[in-house]
Each structure stands twice: as structure tokens, then as C-alpha cells.
Amino acid sequence: GHGGKPAESPKKKKVSAVDQARAAMAAESAASTANPAGAPAAQTPSAAPADDSSPTRNQAAGPSAYATTTAANTNSTTAALPPTAGAAGADEQWWPTWAGDLLDQRFATAWRSNPVRGPPPGSASALGNDGRTTIYQVSIVKGGDGTQVSIAARQTAVVNNRGLAEATAVGSGSASATGDHARTSIYQTTVVVQRGTGTATVEQSAHVDNLGHALAASAGSGDAEAVGNASSTTVHQTAVVLLLGSGDAHLSQTADVTNVGGATAVATDTQSLAVGSTATTDVSQLAVLRVYDDDVTVAQKSSTTNVGVGDASGGSAIGNSSTNTSSQVAVQR
């Protein structure tokens, strides 16, 4: 043996909490500098604090040295799409099949339930004239007592209706055309009361012309129907003349109605129907007069002319199927 004291082991250096915090902050700063893109750096677990047997090991060592730092991400690079997300080509279906089926069903339902859609695709319908005309003419004339005056009342109404329609169907649709479908009503009323002396003259006249032509053609499996003139005319004329004094009375009522229709229907493989005129005319004339010993003249005239021409290819044709009604009544006392 060597004499002397045995060698002493080196003492452990105490590490305070402040030193540990500074070491952690330095590690974070170094990691941020090494990764400027803002990617999280790998964390290295810090060393466990050394055993401290001092009485102050559990006391707070001043303010906390731990701090939270936030690094702004200044990376402006746009992330690229993964290779599997590419644009759809012109021949590729980019919508799901169930969505397309649902839209087809909704379109079909809207087409069947919406009345403004008109006839089904391929059909054709045409209407040349669908006018409505109503005329009222009323005249009331009264002559004073003990006077001598001549009274003249005239009423005139003229109506002209024209219609032209052409319908051509494609595919399996049908074709329907009506040239003139006008409705005309004329009401003329005249009342004359003469208490003195004088002449009373009443004239009522109504003239109505309805002209229509229709052409319907179907090249597929649908039918073709054409009606040239399907108009309706009503004329009512009423006149009442009362002469309490002396004088002559002259009354004239005239109604002229002309209906002309032409129709052509052409069907390739199906039926066709052409009707020239199906017009309806109703004329009523009524005259009531009371005159003492003087002259009285009453003239009532009603004239109705119906002309229809129908031409059907592969079907039936009717030229004129009009209906006329005329009533004339004159009463004198």
C-alpha cells in the first residue's frame, strides 16, 4: 500500500429548473432554424432532472421559464392533387348513374302534369281565328204631345271573321287544324213612341262574314283532321213602334250571314277527315207596331249563305255541315 487518502469520487453538479428551461428553448430554436417550412421537428426528450436532496427542491424557482412560441408558416407553395384525381374526359360520365335516373323521372313527371306543355311531341294543332264578338244596339225614341216630327232610327252592325290554319305532324303524332272558330252575337233593339203627328222609320241591319281554311297533314301513324269554318253566329233584332197620333210607320229588319270554309286533310297510313264548314247561324227578327189609320210598312229579311269544300286524302271529306235557324215575327195592331 500506498499511504494517503483514498481518491474521492467527483461530485454531481446540480441542474436547476431555470437551466432546464433554457436548454429546452434553445433546442426549439435550433429545430425551427433547421426546418424553415414550418414542419414539426422531432422532439428529443429532455434529461430527467438530477436528484436533489436539498430542502428547496420542491420550491418554485422564480417565474416559469417555459414559454409557448408560434411560428408563422410562410410557405406559399400550393399542394398538388394526388395522382389519382384527374379531370374527366369527354367520353367519361362525371355524374353518378342514380342522379341521372332521378332527373329523367322528374322531367317525365313534369311533362305529364304540366298542361301548358300542349300536345305530346310530334303532334301538331293549329287554330286560325278564335275571336269572340258581341254587339248590343239599343235605341229608344219618344215624340212629344201636340208636335209634328219625323223619327228615323237606324242600326247597322258589320262583322268580318277570317281564319287560316295549317298543321303538319311529324313522327307518330296527329295533326288537327281549324280555320275559323269565331263566335259572333248581335242584339239590336229599337223602341219608338210618337204622341204627336209625323213619320216613324226604323231600320235594323246586320252583316256577318265568316271565312276559314284549314290544312292538316300527318306523315306518320297519327290521324289528320281539318275543319275550315266552325263559326257560330247569332242575330236578334227587335223593333217596337207606337204611333198615338197620326203618321206613317216604316220598319225594316235585315240580317245577312255568309259562311265559307275549305279544308284539306292528308294522312299517309292512317285516317283523315276534312270538313269544309260546320257553321251555326241563328237569326231572330221581331217587329211590333201600333198605328191608327195611317200607312205601315214592315220588311224583314234574313239571308244566310254557307259554302264548304272538303278534301281528304286517304279518308272522308264533308263539304258543308252547317246549321241555320231563322225566326221572323211581325205584329201590327
Side-chain angles (χ1 to χ4, degrees):
H2 298 280
K5 295 181 180 179
E8 296 180 357
S9 60
K11 296 182 180 180
K12 296 182 179 179
K13 185 180 181 180
K14 296 181 180 180
V15 180
S16 65
V18 175
D19 294 336
Q20 296 178 13
R22 289 177 178 176
M25 294 177 61
E28 289 185 8
S29 177
S32 300
T33 304
N35 187 15
Q43 300 293 331
T44 302
S46 59
D51 295 335
D52 188 1
S53 59
S54 65
T56 61
R57 65 180 183 276
N58 294 327
Q59 295 181 2
S64 174
Y66 292 98
T68 302
T69 59
T70 303
N73 185 2
T74 58
N75 184 17
S76 60
T77 305
T78 303
L81 294 175
T84 57
D91 56 345
E92 295 179 352
Q93 178 175 318
W94 56 270
W95 65 90
T97 303
W98 64 266
D101 295 341
L102 180 60
L103 289 178
D104 292 342
Q105 294 176 5
R106 291 184 177 180
F107 289 155
T109 301
W111 180 272
R112 290 191 299 268
S113 61
N114 195 347
V116 301
R117 294 284 184 177
S123 298
S125 178
L127 178 59
N129 183 10
D130 193 30
R132 299 290 188 270
T133 304
T134 302
I135 299 174
Y136 291 94
Q137 294 177 329
V138 179
S139 300
I140 300 176
V141 182
K142 179 180 179 181
D145 295 337
T147 60
Q148 182 177 358
V149 61
S150 296
I151 299 175
R154 295 180 175 86
Q155 296 173 330
T156 302
V158 179
V159 179
N160 295 316
N161 296 310
R162 303 287 189 274
L164 174 62
E166 296 184 3
T168 302
V170 296
S172 60
S174 59
S176 176
T178 302
D180 185 16
H181 194 256
R183 298 291 183 269
T184 303
S185 299
I186 299 175
Y187 301 92
Q188 295 176 326
T189 302
T190 302
V191 178
V192 176
V193 178
Q194 177 64 285
R195 294 183 178 274
T197 59
T199 302
T201 303
V202 176
E203 295 180 359
Q204 295 174 328
S205 62
H207 303 276
V208 180
D209 292 333
N210 297 307
L211 303 179
H213 183 268
L215 170 62
S218 175
S221 58
D223 297 336
E225 180 178 350
V227 179
N229 186 0
S231 62
S232 175
T233 303
T234 301
V235 178
H236 291 285
Q237 295 174 327
T238 303
V240 178
V241 178
L242 177 60
L243 297 182
L244 301 179
S246 61
D248 300 334
H250 305 283
L251 191 150
S252 173
Q253 295 174 326
T254 304
D256 294 328
V257 179
T258 301
N259 298 310
V260 178
T264 302
V266 179
T268 304
D269 300 325
T270 56
Q271 296 181 354
S272 62
L273 175 62
V275 181
S277 177
T278 61
T280 301
T281 303
D282 184 8
V283 177
S284 175
Q285 295 174 328
L286 174 62
V288 178
L289 298 94
R290 183 172 182 179
V291 181
Y292 287 96
D293 295 333
D294 295 321
D295 296 334
V296 175
T297 302
V298 177
Q300 293 176 326
K301 180 182 178 182
S302 175
S303 175
T304 302
T305 303
N306 297 306
V307 178
V309 177
D311 183 11
S313 174
S316 58
I318 300 175
N320 185 10
S321 183
S322 302
T323 301
N324 303 321
T325 302
S326 179
S327 175
Q328 296 175 325
V329 178
V331 179
Q332 177 181 351
R333 296 183 60 186

